[in-house]
Amino acid sequence: MVELSRRAVTVGAASAAFVFATDATAEEVVKIGAIYPLSGNSASAGNYEKMAMELGADLVNKGDPELAKILPLAKGGGLSGLKGAKIQMVFADNQGTPAAGQNQTLRLITEEKVAAVIGAYQSGITLTASAVAEKYGIPFLNPESVAANLTERGFKWFFRVTPVAADFARAYSAFLKEQKAAGRKVDSIALVHENTEYGNSVASVIASAFAKDGLNISMKVAYSANSTDVQPQVLQLKEKNPDAAIFISYTSDAILYAKTMKEQNWKPAILIADDGGFNDPAFVKAMGSVCEGLVSRSVFAAGKPGSVAAICDALYKKKTGGDGLDDVSARALQGFLVMADAINRAGSTDPAKIQAALRATDLKPDQLVAGYDGVKFDDKGQNILASTLVTQLRNSQYVSVWPKSRATHQLILPYKGW
Amino acid sequence: MTTTLLLQVVVSGLLLGAVYALFSSGLSLIWGMMNVVNFAHGEFVMLGMYTAVVVWTALGGGPWASVPIAAILIATLGVLAYFLLVRHIMRGPMLAQILGTFGLALFLRYGALWVFGANFKTLPDDLVGHSFILGGIRFEGSRVLAGVVGLVVTVLLHLLLTRTSIGSRMLAVSEDATAAQLMGIRPQRMQALAWALAGAATGIAGALIATFFYTSPTVGETLAIVAFVTVALGGFGSVMGALVAGLLIGVVESLSAFLIGPVYKDVIVYAAFVLVLWFRPQGLMGTN
Amino acid sequence: MTARRLLQIALVVVVLAYPIVTAGSPVWQRLGALVLLAAISASAWNIVGGYAGQVSVGHAVFFGIGAYSAVVAFVHLDLPPILGAPLGMLVSVAVAAVIGVPTLRLSGHYFSMATIAVGELVRVLSSTSDWLGGAQGLGGPAMPRTVFDLSFVSAMPYYYIFLAVLAGVLGLTWWIERGRMGFYLRAIKDSERAARSLGVSAGRYKLYAYMLSAAFTSVAGSLYLCMFGFVDPESGFGILLSVKILVMAALGGAGQLFGPLVGALILVPLEELSNSLLGGQGAGITFVVYGAIIVIIARFLPSGLLSLLERRPNAPTKAAPVNPSPASGHAD
C-alpha cells in the first residue's frame, strides 16, 4: 500500500490545478480517465455516457444497499481491495476529432496520472486514443466502439467489452429467420444506412451475414447523416415496399425518418432500427408515440425488478431526471464496472497488475447491467461473452423480446407505427 | 415508377426549396448590401429554431406565437451583431469578416450547447395540422406552411428592396456609401436596418423549420452550407435569385436522391454549383 | 540594431530548446509540435490566401490528400507513411490545377464559396471510396516497425521535423515575397484589373501560388498522419479544418511572413488548454471561450495580431473605406 499512497500524493500535487478536491484531507483516490465526445455532433451520447460513469463512481464510493446484495462492488466506502480508496473520474472531451482524442488521452495519462483510461465512443477516436495508452503501457478499456479492426492490432493494453457488428448481424439474422419460420413474409429486406463510419461498417457486416444466411437484401440505401431532407428515400422505400426494413442511423436522421415515414404514410411489416439514434432517449421521448412496435437491438433491458439492471436503471433515472439507461449508457456503466472490478482485484494502481486483473476478469450474467452472457476477455482483449438482445418499442419504452431466454415481453408484429 | 410518385418527389423538392430560399434570403440581403458573408448565419437559424422549441415547451405556443417572437429576437441579434462586431470588421480585409463571423458562430453554437444541452429537441408533429392529399400527392401541414411563408417573405423582401423608398435608400448605400451619405442617407442606419430585416427573415425561417426538423446546437452547421450555395448560385445580393436557386436546389436534391441515390445528391448539387459558376460567375440572377 | 539582433538570437534559442526544456511534461512538449504543425498548413495557405488575396475555404482538400497519400503508402504499398508525402504533393498540385483553373476566375466571396463546395465534394466522394477506407477511414501502422514509420512516444522528434519543414515553407515564402512573384501577387491582391493592365499575367500567377500552397498543405497532412496515425473523411477533408487553417493565418496576420505562425501560437494553445481545463465539464464551454476570443481579436484587430507591431505613432493610418463597394462576380 505504500506504493499506492505515494502515487496518490504525487498525483494530487502534480495536478492541483485541475482537480477540484472534495476533501481537504488527502484521501486515497484511484483516478480513472474517461475520454468522450462532450461537444460536437455526438455530444448527446457522450454526455449520457459521462453521467453513467459518474453513477458508477457513486456506486463504488457511496454505495447502494440494495445493489450491494448482488454486487459486492456497490457496498460503498470505495474499493475494498485498495483499503477503501475512492474512485475519481477524470473526464476529457474528444470533441469528435481523432486529434483531440489523442491529445487528451496523453494528458490524462501523463498529467492526471490516471490508472486506466475508458473511451472513446467513435471507433476512429478509440483507435487513435488507445494507441497512446498502448505506448505508455496503461490499460485502455473500450465499452462501446464496434469497428472490427480495433482488436486486431496486437495491442496488449486494449480491452473491449461490447459486442461488435458481427454479433448484431448474427442476432438480426437469427431473429428474421425465426420470423420466417413462424410464417411471416421476409422475402425482401431494405438496408438503409447513414454514410459515416458507424452506418457503413454495420451495414456491410449485416449484408455479408445475410448473404450467407440466405436472406435477401433487395435494396440498399446509403445516405448522409446530416441530410436536410429524407423524403426521396422514404418515397423510394414506399415504391419498392420491402417486407422488412433495417435502419442504421444517428439521432438526427432517425428523427427525420420517423417524421417523414408518418408524413408519407409508409410502414413495413417489420421495422428494425439498429440501436444508434433510435435508442437515444431524446428520440424515444419525441418519436416514441409514432414508432410503436419498432424492433431494435440493445444490450440493455430493465428486466425483472431487483436485478442489477433494474436497480441501476432506477438510480440512473434519478440522476438524469427522467432518462433511463439505454444501450449506450448501459454499455458505458458496464465498462466502468468491469474496470472498477479489475482495479479492485488488482489491489493496486500499478498498470501491469490492472492489466493482469482485466485478463482474469470473469463476470457472470446476473452481475451485469448490460445483457451480456458474461465478461471474459480473449488474447486480443475482446469480451467473448458479449451478446445483444433484440428489443421492441412499446409505449415509448424498449422491452426485451428476443432471445426467448431473456425476453420479458411477447413480440408483436406487424409494426404499428402511429 | 408512377408519375404521381415522381410528382410527389418534385413537390417535396419544391417545398424544401422554398424553405432553403427562406433561410438563405437573409444571408443574401447582407451579402448584397455590404459584401459581407455571415459565417454565423446557420447559428442565427439555429437560435430561431430554439426560440420555437422554448416557446412551445414554456408557453405551449405553436408557430403563430413563435414566428413573431423569433423574428424579433433574431432581428435584435442581427442589429447587435452589426453594431458590436460587423461595423468594425468591415474596415479590415475581407478575411476579417470570415474571422469575426466564424468566431461568432462558434460562440453561439456552443453557447446554445451550454444553455440548452446537447440533446436533440423536436416539436410535436401535429403542431401545424395534419397532412392532406391533393391530386394523389401528400402534403404535410408544417412543410406547406414553411414553404408558403418562405415564398411570401422572400417576395416581400424583394418588393421592399425594389419598390419602396427605403429599399432604394438601402440600395444606394450598397452601391456607394459615400455618395449616399452626401445625399443625406445615413449608411449605418441603413446597414443596421438590413441586419434587422435579414435577422427577422432568418428567425422566421428557424421557427418554421423547427416544426418539421430536429433542433440541436450543431444544426446550423448543416444548414449553413446549403445557404451559402443557394446564395452564391442565385447571384449575390439578389433575393429573387436566392428564391430561384433555393427551389432549383430543392428539386435537384430530391430528384437525384430519388433517382440516383441519396449519397450522391450533395455531389450533384455541389458539382452543379461549380459548373454554374464556371459559365455564369455572377450566379443565376446576379448582375455583373 | 544590436538589441534587435539579441532578441532574434534569444528567440531562436527558445525555439530550439523548447522540447528539451519541456521534456518533463509530454503534454507541453506535444503542444509545441502541434503549434508547428498548424503553422505549416496556415503558412502554406498564406501563400495564396494572404499574399495573393485568394481566400480559399477549401484547403482541407490538400491536407486530406497529404494524409491519405501517407496512409495509402502504408496500407496498399506497405511503405513507411512518410514516403507517401511526395506522392501527396504531386497529387495536390495536380488537383490544385484542376480546381484552380475554373475557380480562380471567380473573385472575392465567389471564390471562397466555390472552394467550400469543392471541399465538400471531395469529402463526400472520399467517403464512398473503399480503396480509401470509405467512411471508416484508414489507420497507419498500429505499432512502429522501424524508425522510418515516424511513430514516436515522445513529441521531440516530431517537434524538430515540423520545425525543419516550417523553416522550409517560411524560407520559400520569404524568397517569393522578395522576388518578382511576390510583387505580382501583391499587385493582384490590390487590384487585379490594374495588375492586368500592367501586363501581369494574373491568372497564371494566382494558379502558381495556389499550386505551391497546395503542395505544402499536403505535406502538413502527411506529417499529421505520421503523428496521429489515422485519417477519415471528416478529419482529413472536413470544412472545419479548412476554416481553422484560414482563421489561424487571418488571426496572426494574412499576407505576412510570420502571421500564420503567430496565429498558431495563440490559437492552438488556446484550444488545447481550454479543452484540458474546461472540456471535461461537457458543456462546450471550450468553444464559447475560443469563439469569443476570435471575435474580440477580429473586432479590435481586423488585420490580425501582427498589425499591433506596425502601428507607429506618426505613421498615417491606412484609411480603408467605411463601406467597400461590393465586388462584382467577374474577376475581369
Side-chain angles (χ1 to χ4, degrees):
Chain A
M1 276 313 95
V2 181
E3 184 195 333
L4 168 74
S5 50
R6 194 174 56 223
R7 198 180 171 91
V9 170
T10 43
V11 167
S15 53
F18 295 97
V19 180
F20 301 95
T22 45
D23 202 339
T25 58
E27 201 171 44
E28 283 185 353
V29 293
V30 175
K31 284 189 177 186
I32 299 178
I35 173 118
Y36 278 101
L38 302 176
S39 62
N41 284 328
S42 302
S44 174
N47 281 294
Y48 278 117
E49 296 201 77
K50 176 170 179 267
M51 286 190 280
M53 292 193 196
E54 284 168 349
L55 171 64
D58 281 349
L59 290 178
V60 172
N61 296 342
K62 297 184 189 135
D64 179 79
E66 204 189 338
L67 195 59
K69 287 180 210 155
I70 325 169
L71 206 62
L73 207 55
K75 72 179 191 310
L79 295 166
S80 57
L82 285 93
K83 293 192 174 153
K86 296 273 173 15
I87 287 182
Q88 186 193 348
M89 293 304 296
V90 187
F91 292 98
D93 181 6
N94 73 26
Q95 302 181 332
T97 70
Q102 205 172 74
N103 297 341
Q104 290 299 316
T105 307
L106 182 73
R107 179 178 70 85
L108 291 176
I109 292 173
T110 63
E111 299 273 320
E112 298 284 353
K113 310 266 195 257
V114 296
V117 181
I118 303 178
Y121 191 67
Q122 299 98 328
S123 290
I125 302 180
T126 303
L127 188 95
T128 57
S130 57
V132 176
E134 187 74 15
K135 283 176 181 167
Y136 277 87
I138 296 287
F140 190 104
L141 184 136
N142 168 253
E144 72 288 274
S145 302
V146 299
N149 61 352
L150 288 172
T151 44
E152 300 300 324
R153 296 174 295 169
F155 277 18
K156 302 264 179 299
W157 301 87
F158 184 76
F159 297 88
R160 170 159 65 182
V161 188
T162 185
V164 294
D167 300 314
F168 308 148
R170 260 201 307 279
Y172 293 140
S173 182
F175 173 77
L176 284 175
K177 277 195 292 189
E178 245 175 58
Q179 302 316 313
K180 214 172 175 174
R184 289 201 176 84
K185 202 162 163 261
V186 196
D187 295 338
S188 54
I189 303 165
L191 192 57
V192 186
H193 65 93
E194 64 86 25
N195 189 36
T196 67
E197 168 219 326
Y198 162 59
N200 264 0
S201 59
V202 174
S204 66
V205 174
I206 289 180
S208 57
F210 279 23
K212 218 186 298 163
D213 290 351
L215 289 164
N216 171 33
I217 294 182
S218 57
M219 65 187 290
K220 266 181 98 166
V221 182
Y223 66 91
S224 141
N226 55 6
S227 286
T228 46
D229 181 41
V230 299
Q231 293 180 83
Q233 288 94 293
V234 172
L235 290 171
Q236 234 171 9
L237 287 164
K238 192 176 181 179
E239 193 206 358
K240 301 263 167 64
N241 202 20
D243 300 329
I246 301 180
F247 280 82
I248 308 160
S249 309
Y250 284 122
T251 309
S252 52
D253 32 329
I255 292 173
L256 289 186
Y257 272 112
K259 277 182 178 274
T260 310
M261 279 164 68
K262 185 181 175 225
E263 280 171 29
Q264 296 299 343
N265 194 27
W266 176 76
K267 50 189 162 191
I270 303 176
L271 181 62
I272 299 179
D274 179 74
D275 182 39
F278 289 91
N279 264 349
D280 184 331
F283 174 88
V284 176
K285 214 184 301 171
M287 309 310 300
S289 57
V290 298
C291 291
E292 177 71 16
L294 175 76
V295 174
S296 184
R297 58 114 174 140
S298 174
V299 307
F300 182 79
K304 296 182 195 78
S307 66
V308 174
I311 299 169
C312 288
D313 190 38
L315 291 171
Y316 188 72
K317 269 189 189 130
K318 213 181 288 171
K319 183 170 177 66
T320 58
D323 294 330
L325 281 171
D326 68 338
D327 184 66
V328 169
S329 49
R331 281 192 280 174
L333 179 56
Q334 187 60 64
F336 169 85
L337 290 173
V338 169
M339 182 58 90
D341 166 68
I343 296 175
N344 196 35
R345 278 184 291 108
S348 159
T349 52
D350 176 32
K353 287 187 181 149
I354 298 175
Q355 180 198 32
L358 277 167
R359 282 186 193 288
T361 296
D362 187 6
L363 296 174
K364 301 292 174 230
D366 58 348
Q367 295 173 299
L368 302 182
V369 179
Y372 303 148
D373 297 328
V375 179
K376 198 171 193 170
F377 296 106
D378 65 8
D379 291 345
K380 292 172 175 174
Q382 172 64 38
N383 175 17
I384 47 171
L385 298 175
S387 60
T388 193
L389 308 169
V390 172
T391 55
Q392 189 168 34
L393 195 58
R394 298 276 186 75
N395 292 322
S396 296
Q397 195 171 6
Y398 278 107
V399 296
S400 157
V401 293
W402 191 93
K404 290 229 166 58
S405 56
R406 292 258 178 76
T408 55
H409 289 65
Q410 193 79 32
L411 178 74
I412 299 177
L413 286 176
Y415 172 65
K416 181 164 174 288
W418 45 92
Chain B
M1 184 184 319
T2 59
T3 354
T4 328
L5 193 63
L6 211 57
L7 215 59
Q8 174 81 63
V9 175
V10 174
V11 166
S12 16
L14 282 172
L15 284 175
L16 182 71
V19 177
Y20 284 175
L22 176 60
F23 72 67
S24 307
S25 57
L27 185 72
S28 180
L29 180 66
I30 297 299
W31 191 344
M33 274 289 291
M34 273 167 268
N35 200 25
V36 167
V37 172
N38 180 12
F39 272 72
H41 184 76
E43 277 58 40
F44 282 34
V45 181
M46 179 267 294
L47 289 174
M49 295 171 76
Y50 269 110
T51 307
V53 171
V54 170
V55 165
W56 187 77
T57 44
L59 311 169
W64 311 117
S66 63
V67 164
I69 297 178
I72 293 167
L73 280 181
I74 309 302
T76 315
L77 178 68
V79 173
L80 280 178
Y82 172 72
F83 277 113
L84 297 179
L85 178 67
V86 177
R87 194 163 56 110
H88 305 281
I89 55 181
M90 280 170 66
R91 298 205 183 102
M94 174 188 147
L95 264 176
Q97 304 167 11
I98 300 182
L99 194 65
T101 55
F102 172 70
L104 182 64
L106 282 184
F107 181 79
L108 295 176
R109 186 183 306 163
Y110 288 96
L113 179 66
W114 195 7
V115 174
F116 301 111
N119 289 350
F120 290 83
K121 316 264 187 207
T122 45
L123 294 176
D125 56 337
D126 51 0
L127 204 55
V128 193
H130 288 281
S131 51
F132 55 92
I133 299 175
L134 207 70
I137 295 169
R138 293 184 73 91
F139 291 87
E140 179 68 18
S142 52
R143 287 177 190 266
V144 172
L145 177 69
V148 169
V149 174
L151 284 175
V152 170
V153 170
T154 321
V155 170
L156 280 180
L157 261 184
H158 175 74
L159 291 177
L160 180 85
L161 286 176
T162 52
R163 301 286 160 83
T164 64
S165 75
I166 198 129
S168 41
R169 273 187 282 167
M170 284 170 74
L171 286 180
V173 171
S174 85
E175 304 258 306
D176 189 339
T178 329
Q181 202 157 13
L182 291 174
M183 293 187 294
I185 302 170
R186 288 153 83 178
Q188 292 211 351
R189 189 176 277 193
M190 288 298 121
Q191 289 175 339
L193 182 64
W195 276 85
L197 284 172
T202 311
I204 294 171
L208 288 171
I209 294 170
T211 59
F212 60 88
F213 213 67
Y214 58 87
T215 302
S216 81
T218 50
V219 71
E221 220 177 343
T222 309
L223 300 176
I225 296 179
V226 181
F228 288 152
V229 172
T230 307
V231 172
L233 186 64
F236 111 105
S238 165
V239 172
M240 281 319 261
L243 179 59
V244 172
L247 292 174
L248 200 66
I249 291 175
V251 173
V252 168
E253 263 193 13
S254 277
L255 279 176
S256 54
F258 184 76
L259 298 173
I260 303 171
V263 173
Y264 297 99
K265 74 173 184 193
D266 295 332
V267 174
I268 289 163
V269 168
Y270 294 135
F273 167 65
V274 174
L275 265 181
V276 168
L277 286 189
W278 166 255
F279 291 108
R280 270 188 79 83
Q282 72 274 34
L284 288 174
M285 315 248 313
T287 45
N288 195 345
Chain C
M1 197 62 194
T2 41
R4 198 186 158 135
R5 178 50 57 89
L6 268 176
L7 192 70
Q8 283 171 344
I9 293 170
L11 268 175
V12 170
V13 170
V14 167
V15 168
L16 286 175
Y18 179 83
I20 301 164
V21 176
T22 55
S25 163
V27 168
W28 283 96
Q29 200 179 38
R30 189 181 174 90
L31 188 59
L34 294 174
V35 167
L36 294 176
L37 183 61
I40 295 171
S41 38
S43 298
W45 178 91
N46 199 24
I47 299 173
V48 67
Y51 288 99
Q54 307 299 309
V55 178
S56 162
V57 198
H59 255 49
V61 169
F62 309 118
F63 188 91
I65 289 175
Y68 270 104
S69 299
V71 83
V72 158
F74 165 72
V75 172
H76 294 299
L77 305 172
D78 210 25
L79 295 169
I82 194 65
L83 290 183
L87 174 73
M89 290 173 82
L90 282 177
V91 175
S92 289
V93 169
V95 169
V98 173
I99 302 175
V101 168
T103 57
L104 282 168
R105 300 188 317 145
L106 307 169
S107 72
H109 290 308
Y110 282 95
F111 175 72
S112 306
M113 292 301 131
T115 53
I116 289 182
V118 171
E120 286 295 287
L121 199 68
V122 171
R123 184 181 63 80
V124 175
L125 285 177
S126 73
S127 70
T128 59
S129 158
D130 285 337
W131 196 69
L132 294 178
Q136 286 102 305
L138 289 174
M143 277 296 167
R145 301 161 303 175
T146 65
V147 70
F148 297 108
D149 277 344
L150 302 188
S151 175
F152 311 109
V153 176
S154 158
M156 196 184 291
Y158 294 118
Y159 183 92
Y160 288 113
I161 295 169
F162 297 170
L163 187 63
V165 174
L166 179 64
V169 174
L170 290 179
L172 189 85
T173 310
W174 178 76
W175 181 73
I176 292 173
E177 191 180 18
R178 291 168 42 109
R180 183 202 300 224
M181 183 161 162
F183 175 75
Y184 286 167
L185 292 181
R186 276 193 298 275
I188 293 167
K189 184 183 182 178
D190 283 344
S191 163
E192 191 165 332
R193 205 176 291 240
R196 274 178 201 278
S197 64
L198 291 173
V200 176
S201 173
R204 209 168 72 195
Y205 279 96
K206 282 199 288 190
L207 191 61
Y208 288 165
Y210 192 52
M211 295 196 309
L212 210 60
S213 170
F216 288 115
T217 310
S218 165
V219 174
S222 300
L223 294 173
Y224 166 88
L225 192 278
C226 292
M227 187 169 180
F228 289 94
F230 175 76
V231 65
D232 62 5
E234 197 55 46
S235 60
F237 295 118
I239 183 172
L240 193 65
L241 183 65
S242 293
V243 178
K244 270 188 178 169
I245 293 174
L246 172 157
V247 162
M248 220 149 340
L251 193 86
Q256 303 193 59
L257 188 57
F258 291 110
L261 178 59
V262 170
L265 265 172
I266 304 289
L267 281 185
V268 175
L270 177 67
E271 188 177 354
E272 291 299 320
L273 294 180
S274 59
N275 190 21
S276 296
L277 287 168
L278 305 169
Q281 293 167 35
I285 309 169
T286 313
F287 285 107
V288 175
V289 174
Y290 185 81
I293 289 176
I294 294 176
V295 168
I296 290 167
I297 293 175
R299 156 72 178 80
F300 292 100
L301 295 167
S303 296
L305 285 165
L306 279 183
S307 61
L308 269 179
L309 303 177
E310 281 171 3
R311 276 190 198 153
R312 293 186 191 89
N314 287 331
T317 46
K318 227 185 183 177
V322 179
N323 182 21
S325 64
S328 71
H330 250 300
D332 46 7

